[in-house]
């Protein structure tokens, strides 16, 4: 018995870690995959010689020679020289800016994050044939892995957010109930064994009140009784629907393992499994406005601290960059420049996408319900119009 108690206590202590272990494993797998990809691309792209450096220098030399010739011979005015340079700059190629010096470890980590998050700024990309092939292979594995992490972390954050909101909501309701009970003399009583009600202010009722009197005098009790009656009708309709759809008895409830330890029921007696009835009632319920507030609060937080490590991104551009990044739009018009802060941008992107996944998880039921309501409203409006036309 002592050994069994020790094992039970050990299992109870390790239970939280066992629940978190799958989530941590996925996150660690994504981190390890990022480090592996950064090391590979640093060797492939950073260790190769630039094949476009000579072409880029020749292009710059042509522009400089053209400006010097026109300036020395005084054959062109300043505006004409600017027009010639502008026409020449149209032949500029962005690939000329890709140099092996940009492929250090932090730059490679940032590039890997832009691959599996599908942001794709276009600031840094492979130019060698081997690098392009490895980029395709890396994306084919990294994008599904990132989706798994987002789904897992999003579900976990949605569960935590829903529990926290429900806990805060219940505490608020208890506080309101406690505050209401202090104001009502009916709640400031205690009941003796013989059914006598004794109030704090000295009043005594020798016999308990009749239920009809309570319903007549207490509006809130009458309201709750009607509410419970409606819930009872809904539950009976659900049972009737399931009895029509299901002909055979179901297995024991999977949500209560203790039932399997009970003795078997007598022959001809069936235990029905009602675990599916609570699926709709137990949906994650968080107000839509609170979800939007969390998303925009994270974007605003990123917009406030972004200029601290990227001074060239300031004003509204910082908030714009955070939104474009978190939503994986990634136009590439605003990109981080400091290689030392690439890892901060990468972490911000992954965490932001997880929060967006949580927001989608929490709001999908409300969005579907709103869509169904709109469809029913449109269908009802069309029916009314057809009835009006038929009356004419």
């Amino acid at each position: 018995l002592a050994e069994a108690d020790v094992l039970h206590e050990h299992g109870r202590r390790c239970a939280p870690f066992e629940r978190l272990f799958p989530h941590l494993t996925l996150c660690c797998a994504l981190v390890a995959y990022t480090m592996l990809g950064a090391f590979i691309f640093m060797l492939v792209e950073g260790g190769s010689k630039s094949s476009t450096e000579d072409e880029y220098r020749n292009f710059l030399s042509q522009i400089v020679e053209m400006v010097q010739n026109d300036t020395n011979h005084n054959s062109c005015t300043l505006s004409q020289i600017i027009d010639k340079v502008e026409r020449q700059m149209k032949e500029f190629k962005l690939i000329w800016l890709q140099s092996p010096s940009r492929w250090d470890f932090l730059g490679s980590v940032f590039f890997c994050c832009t691959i599996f998050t599908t942001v794709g700024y276009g600031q840094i990309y492979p130019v060698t044939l081997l690098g392009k092939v490895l980029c395709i292979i890396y994306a084919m594995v990294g994008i599904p892995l990132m989706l798994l992490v987002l789904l897992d972390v999003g579900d976990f954050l949605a569960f935590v957010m829903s529990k926290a909101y429900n806990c805060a909501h219940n505490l608020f309701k208890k506080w309101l109930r406690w505050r209401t009970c202090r104001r009502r003399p009916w709640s400031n009583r205690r009941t003796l064994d013989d059914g006598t009600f004794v109030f704090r202010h000295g009043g005594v009722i020798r016999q308990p009140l009749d239920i009809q009197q309570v319903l007549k005098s207490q509006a809130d009790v009458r309201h709750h009784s009607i509410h419970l009656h409606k819930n009872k009708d809904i539950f009976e309709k659900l049972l009737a629907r399931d009895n029509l759809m299901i002909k055979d008895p179901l297995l024991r409830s999977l949500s209560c393992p203790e039932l399997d330890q009970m003795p078997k029921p007598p022959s001809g007696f069936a235990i029905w499994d009602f675990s599916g009835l609570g699926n709709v009632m137990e949906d994650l319920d968080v107000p839509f406005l609170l979800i939007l507030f969390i998303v925009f609060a994270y974007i605003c937080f990123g917009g406030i601290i972004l200029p601290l490590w990227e001074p060239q991104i300031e004003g509204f551009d910082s908030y714009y960059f955070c939104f474009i990044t978190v939503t994986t739009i990634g136009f590439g018009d605003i990109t981080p420049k400091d290689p030392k802060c690439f890892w901060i941008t990468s972490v911000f992107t992954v965490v932001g996408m997880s929060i967006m996944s949580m927001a989608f998880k929490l709001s999908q039921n409300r969005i579907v319900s709103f869509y169904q309501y709109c469809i029913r409203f449109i269908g009802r409006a069309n029916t009314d119009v057809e009835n009006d036309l038929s009356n004419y």
Side-chain angles (χ1 to χ4, degrees):
L1 293 178
E3 185 178 356
D5 293 339
V6 171
L7 292 176
H8 177 72
E9 182 67 19
H10 178 72
R12 186 178 64 84
R13 292 180 178 179
C14 295
F17 177 76
E18 291 177 355
R19 287 194 294 266
L20 291 176
F21 182 75
H23 308 287
L24 295 176
T25 302
L26 270 178
C27 295
C28 292
L30 182 63
V31 173
Y33 190 72
T34 304
M35 298 298 106
L36 176 63
F39 182 74
I40 293 176
F41 284 108
M42 183 179 62
L43 293 179
V44 173
E45 293 293 330
S48 63
K49 184 180 179 181
S50 177
S51 59
T52 60
E53 183 177 359
D54 295 337
E55 185 179 1
Y56 177 54
R57 294 181 67 88
N58 291 332
F59 174 79
L60 295 178
S61 300
Q62 293 177 4
I63 295 179
V64 172
E65 290 178 0
M66 180 185 65
V67 173
Q68 288 179 348
N69 293 332
D70 293 338
T71 304
N72 294 332
H73 296 85
N74 295 325
S75 58
C76 299
T77 61
L78 179 61
S79 60
Q80 293 176 344
I81 295 176
I82 293 176
D83 292 337
K84 288 184 178 181
V85 172
E86 185 178 1
R87 288 193 298 268
Q88 190 73 17
M89 287 297 298
K90 292 180 180 179
E91 300 179 4
F92 179 81
K93 299 178 182 178
L94 291 176
I95 195 174
W96 290 340
L97 299 179
Q98 301 297 321
S99 62
S101 60
R102 305 184 65 181
W103 291 89
D104 55 356
F105 183 74
L106 293 178
S108 301
V109 168
F110 180 70
F111 170 73
C112 293
C113 291
T114 58
I115 291 179
F116 56 69
T117 58
T118 67
V119 176
Y121 290 122
Q123 180 186 14
I124 181 174
Y125 50 87
V127 295
T128 62
L129 177 61
L130 180 59
K132 294 177 181 179
V133 173
L134 291 176
C135 180
I136 296 174
I137 298 175
Y138 188 83
M140 292 176 63
V141 180
I143 293 176
L145 178 60
M146 182 63 188
L147 292 178
L148 286 177
V149 173
L150 289 180
L151 181 63
D152 183 73
V153 177
D155 290 345
F156 178 76
L157 293 178
F159 175 78
V160 172
M161 182 64 193
S162 178
K163 287 294 183 181
Y165 171 76
N166 291 332
C167 181
H169 186 64
N170 292 333
L171 289 177
F172 180 72
K173 289 194 299 184
K174 289 181 180 179
W175 178 77
L176 288 180
R177 194 181 301 114
W178 172 80
R179 186 179 179 183
T180 305
C181 290
R182 291 190 62 183
R183 296 181 177 180
R184 293 184 179 179
W186 174 257
S187 61
N188 299 329
R189 61 174 173 78
R190 58 188 180 92
T191 306
L192 302 181
D193 295 336
D194 59 352
T196 302
F197 297 154
V198 180
F199 291 87
R200 294 181 182 177
H201 300 289
V204 178
I205 299 179
R206 292 299 177 184
Q207 296 180 354
L209 294 176
D210 185 70
I211 187 63
Q212 297 295 333
Q213 298 176 3
V214 174
L215 290 176
K216 291 180 180 179
S217 60
Q218 301 293 330
D220 57 344
V221 175
R222 182 168 63 256
H223 173 74
H224 287 298
S225 64
I226 296 174
H227 181 68
L228 293 175
H229 181 70
K230 292 181 179 180
N231 289 342
K232 179 182 177 182
D233 294 340
I234 295 174
F235 188 75
E236 289 178 352
K237 290 180 181 179
L238 290 174
L239 291 181
R241 184 194 65 182
D242 287 349
N243 289 335
L244 292 175
M245 295 173 60
I246 304 174
K247 301 300 182 182
D248 299 329
L250 299 176
L251 300 176
R252 295 187 175 194
S253 176
L254 298 177
S255 61
C256 186
E258 287 77 11
L259 291 177
D260 294 331
Q261 302 176 3
M262 297 176 62
K264 294 183 178 181
S267 59
F269 181 81
I271 296 181
W272 294 81
D273 184 9
F274 301 116
S275 59
L277 294 177
N279 290 340
V280 178
M281 302 178 186
E282 296 176 357
D283 283 339
L284 303 176
D285 188 14
V286 178
F288 189 70
L289 291 178
L290 180 59
I291 299 172
L292 290 179
F293 174 77
I294 293 174
V295 173
F296 282 100
Y298 183 78
I299 293 175
C300 292
F301 172 76
I304 292 173
I305 66 173
L306 178 63
L308 298 180
W309 70 80
E310 293 289 344
Q312 78 280 358
I313 305 177
E314 57 184 1
F316 183 75
D317 289 344
S318 59
Y319 303 96
Y320 170 79
F321 170 78
C322 292
F323 178 81
I324 294 299
T325 299
V326 170
T327 54
T328 70
I329 297 175
F331 288 125
D333 53 343
I334 301 176
T335 56
K337 304 296 183 182
D338 189 1
K340 298 180 180 179
C341 299
F342 281 167
W343 66 274
I344 302 179
T345 307
S346 302
V347 173
F348 175 81
T349 304
V350 175
V351 175
M353 292 179 65
S354 301
I355 293 178
M356 293 296 293
S357 176
M358 177 201 71
F360 291 144
K361 179 69 176 180
L362 292 175
S363 60
Q364 62 182 357
N365 293 331
R366 295 182 179 273
I367 294 176
V368 171
S369 299
F370 179 75
Y371 172 76
Q372 292 175 350
Y373 173 79
C374 293
I375 293 299
R376 288 195 298 268
F377 179 79
I378 296 174
R380 191 181 303 112
N382 293 334
T383 303
D384 295 340
V385 172
E386 292 177 358
N387 293 333
D388 294 339
L389 293 176
S390 61
N391 294 332
Y392 286 106

